[in-house]
Amino acid sequence: QTTGRTNYQQFKDKFNIDVVNNPEKLSEPDNAAKSALFWFEKNAKKVERLSGGNWSDTKGVTKAVNGGYNGLAEREQFFEIFIVDQAQKPLGTISSSRVLRTDRNIKMKDIVNENKILVQADLDKEKVGNIFSQYNLISAGVIDKDQKLVGVITGDDIVNVIKEEAVEDALRLGGVGAEEDITDNPITTSKKRFLWLFINLLTAVLASWVIGIFDLTIQKVVALAILMPIVASQGGNAATQTLAVTIQLIASQQLTFKHVAKIINREIVTGLLNGIIFAFITGLFVYFWFDDPRISAIIGVAMIINLTAAGLAGIGIPVFMHKIKIDPAVSAGVFITTVTDCCGYASFLGIAKM
């Protein structure tokens, strides 16, 4: 990222070529140019607009109202004016409505709001979206490494960013990379999906191995083979619910260190309560089906154990993966399914074997 930013600036300063806005000027882009373009795609400059709503602190309100700054009146709609000093460093903002309501003889610096939120030009787009959401912003100034104002990001720009990130997360939850495109041919698509399908195969083999441990027990009581999927399926669905909530908390940066223990405890207790409720419902259903109170009790206890484990796995696994810098939206689902399958089969068949 640092190299990309450096290359981007070097091309602009040395060759007077903006590789982002004028890529056609590069007949054969080398690695440095590609690095600059990649950096641009992943940071705040991707969504910023050229700073049109900025104003020197020495200017008066009259000139602002008259649109006298470099054709400001002809620029696109804006709601805040960013006030800068002589070095183009932002001092604060003023809402356009306040400018209209202020006496024309007053200087802009006298009505500036110094509580400004600024973002670095190389900040990831998703983090910019989180800042807008956290502070309920309608716009934010973009600054370079010298703290100079280089652009403005507005709320409608961020709407598009949030939409893109939501689509990426939805694809990743399904084990599909965000880089997959509708124009990809079947071979390319197959290669991109192979890894997580292969990992899923390995975890499925592990679950089958757990079942194999209790093969003699299953042979004695055929009803166990019929009822096994119920326990595993309920655990998998409960874990997926917890996973979805956890991914949302991680993405919005609401899952902080001080909240982790509280949320883990909440999910475990939730899993336990749901386990008790569905143990009663399932146990009653199984009793009328097989007329066997022992099997009814077995599946009830297994349901409680697996739904409790599902709550723990649904938050514990994505939090751990996020901690070790692995995207939980991509990888957590496979491992959570493994935990709930293995735990469900082991608890149900293990209790039946006693």
Side-chain angles (χ1 to χ4, degrees):
Q1 179 167 293
T2 302
T3 303
R5 180 174 65 247
T6 303
N7 289 335
Y8 176 76
Q9 194 61 45
Q10 285 177 347
F11 270 94
K12 289 189 69 175
D13 297 343
K14 187 174 180 179
F15 302 106
N16 195 28
I17 295 177
D18 188 338
V19 295
V20 172
N21 296 317
N22 301 285
E24 70 281 355
K25 292 186 179 182
L26 294 172
S27 56
E28 294 183 1
D30 58 13
N31 290 334
K34 293 178 181 178
S35 175
L37 287 167
F38 176 78
W39 167 78
F40 180 88
E41 287 291 330
K42 292 299 293 179
N43 60 55
K45 286 193 71 65
K46 178 67 176 175
V47 291
E48 80 173 36
R49 304 180 182 192
L50 294 179
S51 51
N54 66 340
W55 204 273
S56 170
D57 60 329
T58 60
K59 300 291 184 181
V61 171
T62 299
K63 283 195 173 184
V65 174
N66 293 336
Y69 177 69
N70 293 340
L72 184 62
E74 299 177 1
R75 296 180 183 265
E76 60 183 284
Q77 183 179 8
F78 61 91
F79 299 97
E80 288 183 319
I81 298 174
F82 284 78
I83 307 303
V84 296
D85 59 18
Q86 297 300 318
Q88 286 296 304
K89 294 183 178 180
L91 301 175
T93 61
I94 305 175
S95 67
S96 55
S97 61
R98 185 175 183 185
V99 172
L100 294 174
R101 290 184 284 107
T102 300
D103 186 276
R104 300 298 187 263
N105 297 318
I106 294 178
K107 297 292 185 182
M108 299 290 274
K109 64 181 180 180
D110 297 327
I111 58 173
V112 65
N113 177 18
E114 296 183 358
N115 295 325
K116 57 185 181 299
I117 303 295
L118 303 172
V119 297
Q120 292 289 336
D122 57 355
L123 188 64
D124 186 84
K125 293 188 294 182
E126 187 172 3
K127 292 183 179 180
V128 176
N130 289 333
I131 292 174
F132 267 72
S133 176
Q134 182 179 354
Y135 295 102
N136 294 319
L137 301 179
I138 59 174
S139 63
V142 180
I143 56 175
D144 60 15
K145 61 181 179 180
D146 297 321
Q147 305 299 306
K148 294 182 178 181
L149 186 70
V150 295
V152 175
I153 299 175
T154 58
D156 55 332
D157 299 319
I158 294 301
V159 169
N160 295 328
V161 171
I162 294 174
K163 187 184 297 184
E164 290 174 7
E165 296 296 336
V167 171
E168 287 184 9
D169 288 344
L171 290 172
R172 288 169 178 165
L173 279 172
V176 180
E179 69 278 3
E180 187 168 318
D181 193 85
I182 193 172
T183 59
D184 291 342
N185 59 55
I187 295 177
T188 302
T189 303
S190 177
K191 288 179 180 179
K192 290 178 179 179
R193 298 181 185 182
F194 173 81
L195 176 60
W196 289 109
L197 286 174
F198 181 71
I199 293 175
N200 186 72
L201 174 62
L202 296 179
T203 58
V205 170
L206 177 60
S208 297
W209 176 77
V210 172
I211 296 173
I213 296 175
F214 304 97
D215 57 345
L216 295 177
T217 305
I218 296 173
Q219 290 176 17
K220 292 178 182 178
V221 186
V222 179
L224 297 179
I226 299 173
L227 298 173
M228 278 192 310
I230 297 177
V231 180
S233 177
Q234 280 295 97
N237 287 332
T240 301
Q241 290 177 334
T242 305
L243 173 63
V245 173
T246 306
I247 293 296
Q248 188 273 330
L249 292 175
I250 292 175
S252 61
Q253 299 182 342
Q254 297 181 51
L255 192 62
T256 59
F257 179 77
K258 63 180 181 180
H259 294 146
V260 169
K262 179 181 179 181
I263 296 175
I264 290 177
N265 181 67
R266 184 194 71 179
E267 293 301 330
I268 292 175
V269 174
T270 300
L272 177 62
L273 291 175
N274 285 335
I276 294 172
I277 294 171
F278 284 98
F280 175 78
I281 296 172
T282 309
L284 193 63
F285 169 74
V286 169
Y287 175 76
F288 285 111
W289 187 2
F290 292 96
D291 194 23
D292 189 334
R294 182 172 179 270
I295 296 179
S296 179
I298 290 171
I299 196 171
V301 174
M303 191 72 73
I304 294 173
I305 294 173
N306 202 28
L307 263 66
T308 303
L312 178 59
I315 188 171
I317 291 177
V319 167
F320 173 73
M321 290 187 166
H322 179 66
K323 185 72 175 178
I324 61 176
K325 308 301 181 183
I326 297 177
D327 189 351
V330 177
S331 53
V334 173
F335 297 107
I336 286 175
T337 301
T338 304
V339 170
T340 55
D341 283 352
C342 292
C343 183
Y345 294 141
S347 60
F348 182 54
L349 299 175
I351 296 171
K353 188 177 181 180
M354 293 179 181

PDB file of all heavy atoms in Angstrom, residues 72-99:
ATOM      1  N   LEU A  72     -17.373  28.217  -7.943  1.00  0.00           N
ATOM      2  CA  LEU A  72     -17.950  27.303  -6.956  1.00  0.00           C
ATOM      3  C   LEU A  72     -19.428  27.064  -7.200  1.00  0.00           C
ATOM      4  O   LEU A  72     -19.932  25.965  -6.993  1.00  0.00           O
ATOM      5  CB  LEU A  72     -17.729  27.879  -5.550  1.00  0.00           C
ATOM      6  CG  LEU A  72     -18.184  27.029  -4.364  1.00  0.00           C
ATOM      7  CD1 LEU A  72     -17.413  25.717  -4.350  1.00  0.00           C
ATOM      8  CD2 LEU A  72     -17.986  27.786  -3.054  1.00  0.00           C
ATOM      9  N   ALA A  73     -20.128  28.101  -7.676  1.00  0.00           N
ATOM     10  CA  ALA A  73     -21.565  27.967  -7.890  1.00  0.00           C
ATOM     11  C   ALA A  73     -21.884  26.962  -8.980  1.00  0.00           C
ATOM     12  O   ALA A  73     -22.995  26.432  -9.040  1.00  0.00           O
ATOM     13  CB  ALA A  73     -22.156  29.335  -8.251  1.00  0.00           C
ATOM     14  N   GLU A  74     -20.907  26.715  -9.878  1.00  0.00           N
ATOM     15  CA  GLU A  74     -21.155  25.786 -10.967  1.00  0.00           C
ATOM     16  C   GLU A  74     -20.857  24.343 -10.593  1.00  0.00           C
ATOM     17  O   GLU A  74     -21.135  23.430 -11.369  1.00  0.00           O
ATOM     18  CB  GLU A  74     -20.291  26.187 -12.174  1.00  0.00           C
ATOM     19  CG  GLU A  74     -20.613  27.585 -12.691  1.00  0.00           C
ATOM     20  CD  GLU A  74     -19.688  27.979 -13.831  1.00  0.00           C
ATOM     21  OE1 GLU A  74     -18.826  27.153 -14.198  1.00  0.00           O
ATOM     22  OE2 GLU A  74     -19.828  29.100 -14.333  1.00  0.00           O
ATOM     23  N   ARG A  75     -20.270  24.116  -9.432  1.00  0.00           N
ATOM     24  CA  ARG A  75     -19.911  22.760  -9.030  1.00  0.00           C
ATOM     25  C   ARG A  75     -21.133  22.008  -8.524  1.00  0.00           C
ATOM     26  O   ARG A  75     -22.175  22.597  -8.276  1.00  0.00           O
ATOM     27  CB  ARG A  75     -18.806  22.802  -7.967  1.00  0.00           C
ATOM     28  CG  ARG A  75     -17.496  23.400  -8.502  1.00  0.00           C
ATOM     29  CD  ARG A  75     -16.426  23.433  -7.439  1.00  0.00           C
ATOM     30  NE  ARG A  75     -15.227  24.072  -7.941  1.00  0.00           N
ATOM     31  CZ  ARG A  75     -14.199  23.429  -8.465  1.00  0.00           C
ATOM     32  NH1 ARG A  75     -14.237  22.104  -8.551  1.00  0.00           N
ATOM     33  NH2 ARG A  75     -13.144  24.073  -8.892  1.00  0.00           N
ATOM     34  N   GLU A  76     -20.958  20.686  -8.326  1.00  0.00           N
ATOM     35  CA  GLU A  76     -22.092  19.882  -7.920  1.00  0.00           C
ATOM     36  C   GLU A  76     -22.564  20.228  -6.510  1.00  0.00           C
ATOM     37  O   GLU A  76     -21.877  20.903  -5.750  1.00  0.00           O
ATOM     38  CB  GLU A  76     -21.715  18.400  -7.986  1.00  0.00           C
ATOM     39  CG  GLU A  76     -20.550  18.029  -7.085  1.00  0.00           C
ATOM     40  CD  GLU A  76     -20.195  16.567  -7.253  1.00  0.00           C
ATOM     41  OE1 GLU A  76     -20.944  15.738  -6.707  1.00  0.00           O
ATOM     42  OE2 GLU A  76     -19.185  16.257  -7.895  1.00  0.00           O
ATOM     43  N   GLN A  77     -23.718  19.735  -6.144  1.00  0.00           N
ATOM     44  CA  GLN A  77     -24.351  20.085  -4.876  1.00  0.00           C
ATOM     45  C   GLN A  77     -23.489  19.676  -3.690  1.00  0.00           C
ATOM     46  O   GLN A  77     -22.888  18.623  -3.677  1.00  0.00           O
ATOM     47  CB  GLN A  77     -25.705  19.388  -4.790  1.00  0.00           C
ATOM     48  CG  GLN A  77     -26.489  19.732  -3.545  1.00  0.00           C
ATOM     49  CD  GLN A  77     -27.828  19.024  -3.534  1.00  0.00           C
ATOM     50  OE1 GLN A  77     -28.086  18.179  -4.369  1.00  0.00           O
ATOM     51  NE2 GLN A  77     -28.675  19.372  -2.590  1.00  0.00           N
ATOM     52  N   PHE A  78     -23.414  20.544  -2.690  1.00  0.00           N
ATOM     53  CA  PHE A  78     -22.706  20.225  -1.453  1.00  0.00           C
ATOM     54  C   PHE A  78     -23.438  20.875  -0.285  1.00  0.00           C
ATOM     55  O   PHE A  78     -24.173  21.840  -0.454  1.00  0.00           O
ATOM     56  CB  PHE A  78     -21.239  20.678  -1.512  1.00  0.00           C
ATOM     57  CG  PHE A  78     -21.074  22.162  -1.707  1.00  0.00           C
ATOM     58  CD1 PHE A  78     -20.977  23.019  -0.622  1.00  0.00           C
ATOM     59  CD2 PHE A  78     -21.015  22.704  -2.985  1.00  0.00           C
ATOM     60  CE1 PHE A  78     -20.828  24.386  -0.796  1.00  0.00           C
ATOM     61  CE2 PHE A  78     -20.871  24.073  -3.177  1.00  0.00           C
ATOM     62  CZ  PHE A  78     -20.769  24.914  -2.085  1.00  0.00           C
ATOM     63  N   PHE A  79     -23.221  20.334   0.913  1.00  0.00           N
ATOM     64  CA  PHE A  79     -23.927  20.824   2.093  1.00  0.00           C
ATOM     65  C   PHE A  79     -22.988  21.456   3.115  1.00  0.00           C
ATOM     66  O   PHE A  79     -23.431  22.152   4.011  1.00  0.00           O
ATOM     67  CB  PHE A  79     -24.702  19.679   2.761  1.00  0.00           C
ATOM     68  CG  PHE A  79     -25.741  19.072   1.875  1.00  0.00           C
ATOM     69  CD1 PHE A  79     -25.488  17.913   1.161  1.00  0.00           C
ATOM     70  CD2 PHE A  79     -26.970  19.674   1.729  1.00  0.00           C
ATOM     71  CE1 PHE A  79     -26.439  17.349   0.336  1.00  0.00           C
ATOM     72  CE2 PHE A  79     -27.936  19.135   0.899  1.00  0.00           C
ATOM     73  CZ  PHE A  79     -27.667  17.969   0.196  1.00  0.00           C
ATOM     74  N   GLU A  80     -21.710  21.195   2.991  1.00  0.00           N
ATOM     75  CA  GLU A  80     -20.733  21.756   3.914  1.00  0.00           C
ATOM     76  C   GLU A  80     -19.591  22.396   3.133  1.00  0.00           C
ATOM     77  O   GLU A  80     -19.183  21.899   2.085  1.00  0.00           O
ATOM     78  CB  GLU A  80     -20.160  20.672   4.839  1.00  0.00           C
ATOM     79  CG  GLU A  80     -21.138  20.183   5.895  1.00  0.00           C
ATOM     80  CD  GLU A  80     -20.493  19.180   6.826  1.00  0.00           C
ATOM     81  OE1 GLU A  80     -19.729  18.318   6.343  1.00  0.00           O
ATOM     82  OE2 GLU A  80     -20.746  19.254   8.048  1.00  0.00           O
ATOM     83  N   ILE A  81     -19.086  23.488   3.679  1.00  0.00           N
ATOM     84  CA  ILE A  81     -17.921  24.154   3.106  1.00  0.00           C
ATOM     85  C   ILE A  81     -16.747  23.900   4.037  1.00  0.00           C
ATOM     86  O   ILE A  81     -16.842  24.116   5.252  1.00  0.00           O
ATOM     87  CB  ILE A  81     -18.161  25.666   2.958  1.00  0.00           C
ATOM     88  CG1 ILE A  81     -19.333  25.921   2.007  1.00  0.00           C
ATOM     89  CG2 ILE A  81     -16.912  26.369   2.446  1.00  0.00           C
ATOM     90  CD1 ILE A  81     -19.719  27.372   1.919  1.00  0.00           C
ATOM     91  N   PHE A  82     -15.649  23.415   3.486  1.00  0.00           N
ATOM     92  CA  PHE A  82     -14.459  23.142   4.288  1.00  0.00           C
ATOM     93  C   PHE A  82     -13.560  24.381   4.281  1.00  0.00           C
ATOM     94  O   PHE A  82     -13.210  24.905   3.225  1.00  0.00           O
ATOM     95  CB  PHE A  82     -13.697  21.938   3.731  1.00  0.00           C
ATOM     96  CG  PHE A  82     -14.355  20.635   4.058  1.00  0.00           C
ATOM     97  CD1 PHE A  82     -15.470  20.197   3.349  1.00  0.00           C
ATOM     98  CD2 PHE A  82     -13.877  19.847   5.083  1.00  0.00           C
ATOM     99  CE1 PHE A  82     -16.089  19.013   3.659  1.00  0.00           C
ATOM    100  CE2 PHE A  82     -14.488  18.649   5.399  1.00  0.00           C
ATOM    101  CZ  PHE A  82     -15.603  18.229   4.685  1.00  0.00           C
ATOM    102  N   ILE A  83     -13.233  24.838   5.471  1.00  0.00           N
ATOM    103  CA  ILE A  83     -12.414  26.035   5.627  1.00  0.00           C
ATOM    104  C   ILE A  83     -10.951  25.622   5.770  1.00  0.00           C
ATOM    105  O   ILE A  83     -10.617  24.763   6.597  1.00  0.00           O
ATOM    106  CB  ILE A  83     -12.847  26.840   6.874  1.00  0.00           C
ATOM    107  CG1 ILE A  83     -14.359  27.120   6.817  1.00  0.00           C
ATOM    108  CG2 ILE A  83     -12.051  28.135   6.961  1.00  0.00           C
ATOM    109  CD1 ILE A  83     -14.793  27.848   5.577  1.00  0.00           C
ATOM    110  N   VAL A  84     -10.083  26.221   4.940  1.00  0.00           N
ATOM    111  CA  VAL A  84      -8.662  25.888   4.969  1.00  0.00           C
ATOM    112  C   VAL A  84      -7.847  27.148   5.235  1.00  0.00           C
ATOM    113  O   VAL A  84      -8.303  28.273   4.973  1.00  0.00           O
ATOM    114  CB  VAL A  84      -8.221  25.250   3.638  1.00  0.00           C
ATOM    115  CG1 VAL A  84      -8.927  23.928   3.417  1.00  0.00           C
ATOM    116  CG2 VAL A  84      -8.478  26.187   2.457  1.00  0.00           C
ATOM    117  N   ASP A  85      -6.621  26.949   5.745  1.00  0.00           N
ATOM    118  CA  ASP A  85      -5.723  28.082   5.944  1.00  0.00           C
ATOM    119  C   ASP A  85      -4.908  28.319   4.680  1.00  0.00           C
ATOM    120  O   ASP A  85      -5.169  27.711   3.636  1.00  0.00           O
ATOM    121  CB  ASP A  85      -4.827  27.865   7.164  1.00  0.00           C
ATOM    122  CG  ASP A  85      -3.981  26.598   7.038  1.00  0.00           C
ATOM    123  OD1 ASP A  85      -3.836  26.087   5.898  1.00  0.00           O
ATOM    124  OD2 ASP A  85      -3.478  26.116   8.063  1.00  0.00           O
ATOM    125  N   GLN A  86      -3.907  29.174   4.758  1.00  0.00           N
ATOM    126  CA  GLN A  86      -3.112  29.505   3.576  1.00  0.00           C
ATOM    127  C   GLN A  86      -2.327  28.313   3.036  1.00  0.00           C
ATOM    128  O   GLN A  86      -1.962  28.271   1.863  1.00  0.00           O
ATOM    129  CB  GLN A  86      -2.141  30.644   3.925  1.00  0.00           C
ATOM    130  CG  GLN A  86      -2.833  31.939   4.326  1.00  0.00           C
ATOM    131  CD  GLN A  86      -3.724  32.485   3.222  1.00  0.00           C
ATOM    132  OE1 GLN A  86      -3.342  32.478   2.053  1.00  0.00           O
ATOM    133  NE2 GLN A  86      -4.915  32.961   3.587  1.00  0.00           N
ATOM    134  N   ALA A  87      -2.073  27.316   3.900  1.00  0.00           N
ATOM    135  CA  ALA A  87      -1.329  26.118   3.497  1.00  0.00           C
ATOM    136  C   ALA A  87      -2.249  25.005   3.024  1.00  0.00           C
ATOM    137  O   ALA A  87      -1.815  23.870   2.860  1.00  0.00           O
ATOM    138  CB  ALA A  87      -0.459  25.625   4.660  1.00  0.00           C
ATOM    139  N   GLN A  88      -3.531  25.306   2.836  1.00  0.00           N
ATOM    140  CA  GLN A  88      -4.539  24.338   2.392  1.00  0.00           C
ATOM    141  C   GLN A  88      -4.810  23.245   3.435  1.00  0.00           C
ATOM    142  O   GLN A  88      -5.296  22.175   3.099  1.00  0.00           O
ATOM    143  CB  GLN A  88      -4.121  23.688   1.071  1.00  0.00           C
ATOM    144  CG  GLN A  88      -4.258  24.608  -0.143  1.00  0.00           C
ATOM    145  CD  GLN A  88      -5.705  24.997  -0.402  1.00  0.00           C
ATOM    146  OE1 GLN A  88      -6.558  24.138  -0.564  1.00  0.00           O
ATOM    147  NE2 GLN A  88      -5.965  26.296  -0.442  1.00  0.00           N
ATOM    148  N   LYS A  89      -4.498  23.530   4.694  1.00  0.00           N
ATOM    149  CA  LYS A  89      -4.798  22.592   5.767  1.00  0.00           C
ATOM    150  C   LYS A  89      -6.171  22.932   6.358  1.00  0.00           C
ATOM    151  O   LYS A  89      -6.447  24.108   6.661  1.00  0.00           O
ATOM    152  CB  LYS A  89      -3.724  22.645   6.857  1.00  0.00           C
ATOM    153  CG  LYS A  89      -2.365  22.160   6.365  1.00  0.00           C
ATOM    154  CD  LYS A  89      -1.337  22.145   7.481  1.00  0.00           C
ATOM    155  CE  LYS A  89      -0.002  21.605   6.971  1.00  0.00           C
ATOM    156  NZ  LYS A  89       1.028  21.569   8.035  1.00  0.00           N
ATOM    157  N   PRO A  90      -7.050  21.948   6.510  1.00  0.00           N
ATOM    158  CA  PRO A  90      -8.419  22.226   6.957  1.00  0.00           C
ATOM    159  C   PRO A  90      -8.488  22.713   8.396  1.00  0.00           C
ATOM    160  O   PRO A  90      -7.812  22.183   9.278  1.00  0.00           O
ATOM    161  CB  PRO A  90      -9.122  20.867   6.798  1.00  0.00           C
ATOM    162  CG  PRO A  90      -8.023  19.858   6.846  1.00  0.00           C
ATOM    163  CD  PRO A  90      -6.825  20.505   6.250  1.00  0.00           C
ATOM    164  N   LEU A  91      -9.314  23.732   8.598  1.00  0.00           N
ATOM    165  CA  LEU A  91      -9.539  24.281   9.938  1.00  0.00           C
ATOM    166  C   LEU A  91     -10.871  23.828  10.514  1.00  0.00           C
ATOM    167  O   LEU A  91     -11.045  23.795  11.730  1.00  0.00           O
ATOM    168  CB  LEU A  91      -9.501  25.807   9.894  1.00  0.00           C
ATOM    169  CG  LEU A  91      -8.200  26.449   9.386  1.00  0.00           C
ATOM    170  CD1 LEU A  91      -8.376  27.953   9.301  1.00  0.00           C
ATOM    171  CD2 LEU A  91      -7.041  26.081  10.307  1.00  0.00           C
ATOM    172  N   GLY A  92     -11.806  23.488   9.660  1.00  0.00           N
ATOM    173  CA  GLY A  92     -13.133  23.089  10.116  1.00  0.00           C
ATOM    174  C   GLY A  92     -14.130  23.177   8.977  1.00  0.00           C
ATOM    175  O   GLY A  92     -13.759  23.304   7.812  1.00  0.00           O
ATOM    176  N   THR A  93     -15.407  23.127   9.323  1.00  0.00           N
ATOM    177  CA  THR A  93     -16.465  23.163   8.313  1.00  0.00           C
ATOM    178  C   THR A  93     -17.548  24.160   8.704  1.00  0.00           C
ATOM    179  O   THR A  93     -17.696  24.505   9.878  1.00  0.00           O
ATOM    180  CB  THR A  93     -17.116  21.780   8.133  1.00  0.00           C
ATOM    181  OG1 THR A  93     -17.712  21.381   9.376  1.00  0.00           O
ATOM    182  CG2 THR A  93     -16.098  20.746   7.700  1.00  0.00           C
ATOM    183  N   ILE A  94     -18.285  24.577   7.688  1.00  0.00           N
ATOM    184  CA  ILE A  94     -19.456  25.420   7.905  1.00  0.00           C
ATOM    185  C   ILE A  94     -20.567  24.883   7.009  1.00  0.00           C
ATOM    186  O   ILE A  94     -20.345  24.643   5.818  1.00  0.00           O
ATOM    187  CB  ILE A  94     -19.187  26.893   7.534  1.00  0.00           C
ATOM    188  CG1 ILE A  94     -17.975  27.433   8.289  1.00  0.00           C
ATOM    189  CG2 ILE A  94     -20.417  27.754   7.840  1.00  0.00           C
ATOM    190  CD1 ILE A  94     -17.588  28.845   7.880  1.00  0.00           C
ATOM    191  N   SER A  95     -21.731  24.705   7.579  1.00  0.00           N
ATOM    192  CA  SER A  95     -22.852  24.239   6.759  1.00  0.00           C
ATOM    193  C   SER A  95     -23.277  25.358   5.816  1.00  0.00           C
ATOM    194  O   SER A  95     -23.208  26.543   6.170  1.00  0.00           O
ATOM    195  CB  SER A  95     -24.016  23.804   7.639  1.00  0.00           C
ATOM    196  OG  SER A  95     -24.566  24.913   8.316  1.00  0.00           O
ATOM    197  N   SER A  96     -23.704  24.980   4.622  1.00  0.00           N
ATOM    198  CA  SER A  96     -24.119  25.988   3.644  1.00  0.00           C
ATOM    199  C   SER A  96     -25.310  26.798   4.145  1.00  0.00           C
ATOM    200  O   SER A  96     -25.445  27.986   3.842  1.00  0.00           O
ATOM    201  CB  SER A  96     -24.463  25.306   2.314  1.00  0.00           C
ATOM    202  OG  SER A  96     -25.440  24.295   2.511  1.00  0.00           O
ATOM    203  N   SER A  97     -26.177  26.159   4.947  1.00  0.00           N
ATOM    204  CA  SER A  97     -27.341  26.886   5.473  1.00  0.00           C
ATOM    205  C   SER A  97     -26.919  27.983   6.443  1.00  0.00           C
ATOM    206  O   SER A  97     -27.515  29.060   6.477  1.00  0.00           O
ATOM    207  CB  SER A  97     -28.293  25.912   6.176  1.00  0.00           C
ATOM    208  OG  SER A  97     -27.662  25.284   7.269  1.00  0.00           O
ATOM    209  N   ARG A  98     -25.847  27.706   7.224  1.00  0.00           N
ATOM    210  CA  ARG A  98     -25.396  28.735   8.167  1.00  0.00           C
ATOM    211  C   ARG A  98     -24.779  29.921   7.433  1.00  0.00           C
ATOM    212  O   ARG A  98     -24.921  31.069   7.859  1.00  0.00           O
ATOM    213  CB  ARG A  98     -24.374  28.140   9.142  1.00  0.00           C
ATOM    214  CG  ARG A  98     -23.973  29.145  10.217  1.00  0.00           C
ATOM    215  CD  ARG A  98     -23.071  28.576  11.269  1.00  0.00           C
ATOM    216  NE  ARG A  98     -22.786  29.575  12.287  1.00  0.00           N
ATOM    217  CZ  ARG A  98     -21.931  29.399  13.296  1.00  0.00           C
ATOM    218  NH1 ARG A  98     -21.291  28.235  13.429  1.00  0.00           N
ATOM    219  NH2 ARG A  98     -21.722  30.360  14.173  1.00  0.00           N
ATOM    220  N   VAL A  99     -24.091  29.634   6.346  1.00  0.00           N
ATOM    221  CA  VAL A  99     -23.518  30.725   5.551  1.00  0.00           C
ATOM    222  C   VAL A  99     -24.617  31.654   5.067  1.00  0.00           C
ATOM    223  O   VAL A  99     -24.494  32.884   5.125  1.00  0.00           O
ATOM    224  CB  VAL A  99     -22.730  30.149   4.354  1.00  0.00           C
ATOM    225  CG1 VAL A  99     -22.288  31.281   3.416  1.00  0.00           C
ATOM    226  CG2 VAL A  99     -21.513  29.380   4.841  1.00  0.00           C
TER     227      VAL A  99
END
